[in-house]
Amino acid sequence: MARPVGQGIQTKKLISNKAKVLFEQKGYAATSMEDIRSFSQISKGSIYYHFKSKEELFLYTVEQASNEWRRKWEEQANNVSTAKEKLYLLGRYYASDMQSPLSKTVSEYIGSENLDNVMIENISQLIQPEYNVFLQIIEEGMRTKEFKTSKTAEDLAYILYSMLTGMSITQFLGYEEEKFYKLYDTAINLLLYGIIER
């Protein structure tokens, strides 16, 4: 018997929400589909009806979190007017997001799996919306002449995205939270003004 469409979507989201809690608490590798079944109180058949594997469930859960990240970012970005202000805001927003347990689990997932071409494509699709935020800010700044550079917007967006994403490892170096946020401001300063004082 076919399931009502709305009910199916709600069940899928419920499974994902419950799985997110476990992924955040235990990490990707230590969370099993049986853990998710037990915690969600949803039958194994229903879970596998919506998700063929733990990996598919995890990627869907990260995608939902990424959509929420984008929605909240757009709300915050509407409160500032210049591309420069948006860059600093994005740095702080990113610093906050990198502290989330799910973000840490994504790093574990990437590092613990034998990545094949399909997985790399899946991960690329997940990070594309975030990268697009970086690109849009850089393009806006170039369009309004706030940013004057001979570099392409794409190159600068990749550099900025890589820099802010890579900085997430500083949390493992013992940086205090307050200092951690200042590092992101410094990263934006370096991008805008360079490392050589004039």
Side-chain angles (χ1 to χ4, degrees), residues 104-165:
K104 294 174 184 175
T105 303
V106 170
S107 298
E108 176 210 341
Y109 166 75
I110 292 170
S112 68
E113 292 295 309
N114 294 321
L115 297 182
D116 59 23
N117 289 339
V118 173
M119 290 175 69
I120 290 169
E121 180 62 29
N122 289 339
I123 293 167
S124 296
Q125 288 177 2
L126 283 177
I127 65 174
Q128 189 66 42
E130 285 184 30
Y131 165 78
N132 288 342
V133 169
F134 288 78
L135 181 61
Q136 288 165 1
I137 296 171
I138 299 291
E139 288 176 335
E140 177 186 336
M142 293 173 102
R143 195 172 48 252
T144 60
K145 308 289 189 225
E146 283 180 74
F147 307 151
K148 296 174 185 171
T149 179
S150 61
K151 307 291 185 279
T152 67
E154 291 80 10
D155 285 350
L156 291 173
Y158 275 118
I159 290 167
L160 181 60
Y161 180 79
S162 299
M163 184 168 52
L164 295 190
T165 303

Side-chain angles (χ1 to χ4, degrees), residues 3-18:
R3 301 171 191 226
V5 174
Q7 181 182 352
I9 292 169
Q10 290 304 320
T11 302
K12 187 172 186 174
K13 287 185 177 177
L14 176 62
I15 294 165
S16 174
N17 289 339
K18 295 293 187 176

Side-chain angles (χ1 to χ4, degrees), residues 7 9 59 68 71 75 82 100-101 103 142 167 188:
Q7 181 182 352
I9 292 169
L59 292 173
E68 181 66 9
R71 187 190 65 73
E75 284 177 8
T82 68
S100 80
S103 290
M142 293 173 102
M167 286 177 61
I188 301 301

Side-chain angles (χ1 to χ4, degrees), residues 11 21 33 35 38 61 84 93 146 171 175 195:
T11 302
V21 171
M33 289 296 266
D35 293 334
S38 176
T61 301
K84 184 177 172 183
Y93 188 66
E146 283 180 74
Q171 64 191 310
Y175 278 94
I195 199 167

Side-chain angles (χ1 to χ4, degrees), residues 14 18 34-44 47:
L14 176 62
K18 295 293 187 176
E34 176 55 30
D35 293 334
I36 294 165
R37 188 213 58 75
S38 176
F39 184 66
S40 67
Q41 295 296 299
I42 296 173
S43 73
K44 186 181 277 190
I47 291 172

Side-chain angles (χ1 to χ4, degrees), residues 52-113:
K52 293 181 182 75
S53 65
K54 178 175 80 166
E55 179 187 352
E56 184 178 309
L57 172 52
F58 179 72
L59 292 173
Y60 177 83
T61 301
V62 173
E63 180 182 19
Q64 295 307 299
S66 180
N67 291 341
E68 181 66 9
W69 181 94
R70 181 74 184 256
R71 187 190 65 73
K72 287 180 179 176
W73 161 253
E74 287 171 357
E75 284 177 8
Q76 291 189 28
N78 287 332
N79 296 323
V80 295
S81 55
T82 68
K84 184 177 172 183
E85 289 173 314
K86 287 177 185 173
L87 276 185
Y88 283 107
L89 180 63
L90 181 61
R92 291 182 208 107
Y93 188 66
Y94 222 73
S96 175
D97 187 60
M98 286 295 113
Q99 299 297 307
S100 80
L102 191 61
S103 290
K104 294 174 184 175
T105 303
V106 170
S107 298
E108 176 210 341
Y109 166 75
I110 292 170
S112 68
E113 292 295 309

